[in-house]
Amino acid sequence: IFWVFVAAFLQQAEIFYRPPVELHLKTRDPSQVHIKDVLLNFRLSQIANGTAVGPRKKLALLMMIRKEMSHVKAWQQFLDDAPTSELAIFVHASDATVDAARDHMSMVAGRHAVTVVPRVYSKWCELSAVMTQLLVHGLSDVEATHFFFVAHDALPLVTWPRVFQELTVPQSQFCMAGFAFLDVPGRCHFASGPTWRRDLRLKHHQWISLTREHAATIVHPVVTQAVASMYFRVFGHQPLCSDEVVPLLSLRLAAASGFPSTGEVDPWNVAVPRSQWLSTTDSFAGWLATIGVRARCATYAHWTECSPSETVDPKDLARSGILFLRTANVNLGTEVQLRDQEHQRTVPVLWPNELSFLGSCWILILQYQDYKIILAPLNLIAAVLCLTWFSAGSPRSAVIGGFTAAGIGAVVACRDLVSNEAFRSDL
């Protein structure tokens, strides 16, 4: 138990010593995942005007392709309905030259002008620098009011008027990964799990829609520097891609610091407040709304075991608010799965069938913390009871389970205490 307290103390020791951001950027272990991408994201950032010029809305499609777009005929028909005053197209090609990509996209876009941005480093799971490169060039169009990222294999499911209407709303739109056992099935490996890292709730798909103000915030050097520091410290060894957290983390840190009015961003802010650690889907969506973000999915991507059903008519996707379908992992000759992304309902934790008995007890403990009705002593008692019941049948195992649970409760109690804002201010 003593060493448990020591480990908990060391884990929170950063509250006593906060090195400068620049030191984090220079000394972080390069073996951490996706560090190259996050550093490049910082170096590509630029100050941009967050206010559009002109009275009308204009949507910039930020296309991330390898060599070519899939479904060329569908895209030609889709873009043919778009007025030139409502659309701008920016393209990044990871495996083609600028000239080759321009020739291909000009054939796809028809009468619409296409801007192919200079290629930057990218690979699977490391696309935040590409996203910044596209945003920086997209913001150079002073009339663009909204920005939407498009995958190379995206297939339009609805007409341009509906896409334009849905993506030019006052809020940015993020498709959240969801919380395993709560939002999506527990076996969904893309979702965040019930772990100690509540910061993983920020995980989202890359195919996001941004207002101009948010786009300018994400690429601002002050913001990207703070994000790089927090990413190294919090997310560097976590099981998620850099492009699945950097955009929303940028908006969260900026909002928590009052940027841009304050002119600075504190990289030591909490990524996700404790009240949203295991909050319900509706509660978390409400919290996102406070920073101008709407939890909504415009692009559907197929992930194995991430939906209650494996089959659905693609027409149902459009009726449920989906605008684009990624087809890389989908056989269009068959139906694909669907989760109603816009109106998600919490998937109840089935006890003890969905989880193991021990896992169910642990989930209940976390849920108690979420609703703020459990104090450290009650947390300790709950852990003791769960593990003691689990190990019942042998007095020795019951005792061992009880002491193990006591250690778990001690860690939780210590984290609760050190994470308390009033306690930190007293220190």
Side-chain angles (χ1 to χ4, degrees):
I1 294 177
F2 169 76
W3 288 113
V4 169
F5 272 108
V6 171
F9 174 79
L10 293 177
Q11 187 178 18
Q12 299 293 341
E14 66 186 20
I15 69 171
F16 297 100
Y17 172 62
R18 297 184 172 187
V21 173
E22 292 78 7
L23 185 61
H24 275 283
L25 298 181
K26 293 179 181 178
T27 61
R28 282 296 159 180
D29 180 5
S31 66
Q32 288 180 308
V33 295
H34 316 313
I35 296 304
K36 183 176 181 180
D37 183 46
V38 176
L39 279 175
L40 182 57
N41 178 71
F42 168 52
R43 296 180 181 126
L44 290 172
S45 59
Q46 294 183 17
I47 299 176
N49 187 0
T51 304
V53 176
R56 302 184 61 181
K57 296 178 180 178
K58 185 176 184 180
L59 177 62
L61 295 181
L62 309 180
M63 296 182 164
M64 302 163 65
I65 70 173
R66 294 175 180 174
K67 293 183 178 180
E68 299 178 347
M69 283 292 295
S70 303
H71 317 296
V72 171
K73 292 183 178 179
W75 274 101
Q76 289 174 333
Q77 181 181 1
F78 172 76
L79 295 176
D80 190 53
D81 293 334
T84 55
S85 60
E86 294 181 353
L87 173 65
I89 300 176
F90 296 85
V91 181
H92 179 275
S94 61
D95 299 327
T97 64
V98 170
D99 291 338
R102 184 182 298 110
D103 292 341
H104 170 73
M105 290 305 303
S106 296
M107 179 264 296
V108 174
R111 70 181 188 279
H112 298 284
V114 175
T115 301
V116 179
V117 305
R119 182 171 56 188
V120 298
Y121 164 84
S122 66
K123 66 177 185 179
W124 181 81
C125 215
E126 296 186 356
L127 297 173
S128 63
V130 173
M131 297 173 76
T132 294
Q133 179 81 325
L134 283 167
L135 284 174
V136 166
H137 285 80
L139 286 164
S140 64
D141 185 337
V142 296
E143 296 180 346
T145 58
H146 295 78
F147 304 83
F148 180 68
F149 289 93
V150 180
H152 70 282
D153 61 338
L155 173 66
L157 297 180
V158 297
T159 60
W160 169 261
R162 179 175 171 185
V163 168
F164 186 76
Q165 178 184 7
E166 296 281 349
L167 297 182
T168 56
V169 295
Q171 308 87 14
S172 295
Q173 302 181 55
F174 282 71
C175 182
M176 306 307 298
F179 209 77
F181 302 110
L182 299 179
D183 299 319
V184 294
R187 295 183 300 275
C188 179
H189 68 280
F190 182 75
S192 301
T195 66
W196 286 96
R197 300 305 319 189
R198 62 182 181 274
D199 309 308
L200 295 184
R201 286 214 73 176
L202 292 183
K203 185 177 181 181
H204 56 79
H205 292 265
Q206 304 96 312
W207 320 113
I208 59 178
S209 172
L210 298 171
T211 63
R212 186 179 183 92
E213 180 183 2
H214 278 173
T217 298
I218 289 175
V219 303
H220 198 287
V222 173
V223 177
T224 57
Q225 186 180 49
V227 167
S229 179
M230 172 168 275
Y231 188 92
F232 300 156
R233 179 168 51 88
V234 176
F235 297 96
H237 295 290
Q238 298 301 325
L240 79 170
C241 303
S242 52
D243 48 72
E244 294 171 349
V245 69
V246 166
L248 188 53
L249 179 61
S250 302
L251 299 182
R252 160 60 183 167
L253 291 183
S257 300
F259 185 86
S261 59
T262 59
E264 59 183 20
V265 176
D266 182 7
W268 294 92
N269 273 313
V270 177
V272 178
R274 182 170 296 276
S275 62
Q276 298 302 322
W277 185 6
L278 266 176
S279 62
T280 63
T281 301
D282 292 339
S283 176
F284 189 70
W287 175 74
L288 289 175
T290 63
I291 60 175
V293 171
R294 180 188 179 193
R296 182 266 171 98
C297 299
T299 298
Y300 175 77
H302 179 88
W303 286 85
T304 303
E305 298 183 326
C306 288
S307 294
S309 174
E310 288 294 329
T311 60
V312 71
D313 189 319
K315 294 180 181 179
D316 289 339
L317 291 169
R319 285 194 292 264
S320 299
I322 303 298
L323 307 179
F324 298 91
L325 166 66
R326 290 204 65 188
T327 58
N329 299 324
V330 173
N331 181 2
L332 292 181
T334 62
E335 294 180 325
V336 296
Q337 66 175 18
L338 169 67
R339 176 165 63 95
D340 191 343
Q341 306 283 18
E342 189 172 3
H343 304 289
Q344 299 178 33
R345 292 182 298 175
T346 299
V347 178
V349 176
L350 302 180
W351 178 83
N353 299 323
E354 180 71 16
L355 302 170
S356 66
F357 187 82
L358 178 61
S360 299
C361 290
W362 185 239
I363 286 290
L364 291 175
I365 293 172
L366 296 179
Q367 289 281 24
Y368 282 138
Q369 287 206 30
D370 175 47
Y371 292 108
K372 298 182 179 179
I373 62 174
I374 188 165
L375 302 177
L378 295 181
N379 201 337
L380 175 62
I381 294 172
V384 171
L385 290 177
C386 281
L387 283 181
T388 302
W389 291 338
F390 178 74
S391 57
S394 169
R396 177 180 298 179
S397 60
V399 172
I400 294 175
F403 275 105
T404 303
I408 295 175
V411 173
V412 175
C414 187
R415 287 178 60 89
D416 287 348
L417 179 62
V418 179
S419 299
N420 184 274
E421 293 295 332
F423 179 73
R424 290 178 59 163
S425 63
D426 289 342
L427 287 177

